[in-house]
Amino acid sequence: MDASVSSPEFTISRIINAPRETVWKAVSEKDRLAQWWGPKGSTLRVIRLDFRPGGIFHYAMQFQPGHDMFGRFTYREIVAPEKIVFVSSFSDAQGGITRAPFPTIGETWPLEVLNTWTLTESGGKTTLHLTGGPLNASEAERKTFAGMFDSMRQGFGGTFDQLDAYLAKA
């Protein structure tokens, strides 16, 4: 990880029933990513995907029509087809970093989270492992982040369910 990443770190893994190259395409190509990224019940619109170190993935998610929630990744390192390191943030429509849009945690959610995804293949299946931690966070931000692990497991679990479903029909 990065020297400016603070504890605690969130981790989650999922075995995906697809070869690593197939999963890599699903996480790195705009049209494929648009089919599955985000929690269950959301729809995604990819505003921009520049999949390279220094590039940005900017997106809008909707849980109900007319209510966009924006996010972005800034890619730091990409090692095809095994590793992606990126900083995730909530965003505005123009792609700028903003506070989380949730009244109860918005002011204390970290502005940036450094994430590392690794993909390993065994027997035609891919293990997707995610590790993430607050970047340059205050004590209150670290505490809020740690307090949301169960919610993040649920959210990423739903996202990975959508990836499984997308790959099953692709």
Side-chain angles (χ1 to χ4, degrees):
M1 279 276 166
D2 189 285
S4 55
V5 172
S6 50
S7 293
E9 288 187 333
F10 172 76
T11 62
I12 189 169
S13 294
R14 173 66 73 94
I15 297 173
I16 306 293
N17 190 22
R20 181 165 72 170
E21 284 290 339
T22 302
V23 176
W24 183 262
K25 288 177 182 179
V27 302
S28 64
E29 296 177 9
K30 179 180 178 178
D31 293 341
R32 295 173 196 256
L33 193 57
Q35 299 298 310
W36 67 271
W37 176 253
K40 281 184 180 177
S42 68
T43 57
L44 182 83
R45 178 170 43 94
V46 176
I47 298 167
R48 181 170 124 196
L49 178 62
D50 183 9
F51 189 70
R52 63 175 177 80
I56 290 178
F57 168 38
H58 182 217
Y59 60 91
M61 239 186 300
Q62 284 189 359
F63 290 92
Q64 52 184 311
H67 297 279
D68 284 340
M69 182 172 62
F70 299 94
R72 73 178 226 174
F73 298 174
T74 303
Y75 296 106
R76 285 195 169 180
E77 180 183 356
I78 297 171
V79 181
E82 61 192 55
K83 182 179 179 183
I84 305 170
V85 179
F86 62 95
V87 176
S88 63
S89 309
F90 286 96
S91 176
D92 57 26
Q94 293 74 41
I97 296 173
T98 63
R99 286 280 173 196
F102 311 116
T104 55
I105 64 163
E107 290 303 312
T108 58
W109 182 259
L111 279 173
E112 297 181 305
V113 176
L114 182 65
N115 299 278
T116 300
W117 285 18
T118 56
L119 289 80
T120 55
E121 184 176 348
S122 178
K125 295 183 179 187
T126 302
T127 299
L128 175 57
H129 182 77
L130 163 74
T131 301
L135 193 57
N136 301 315
S138 69
E139 181 60 35
E141 290 170 336
R142 287 190 295 275
K143 185 177 178 184
T144 297
F145 185 80
M148 295 300 292
F149 281 9
D150 286 342
S151 178
M152 289 189 290
R153 272 190 197 86
Q154 187 175 26
F156 277 109
T159 297
F160 295 156
D161 287 347
Q162 293 189 158
L163 174 58
D164 277 332
Y166 165 72
L167 291 173
K169 68 181 180 184

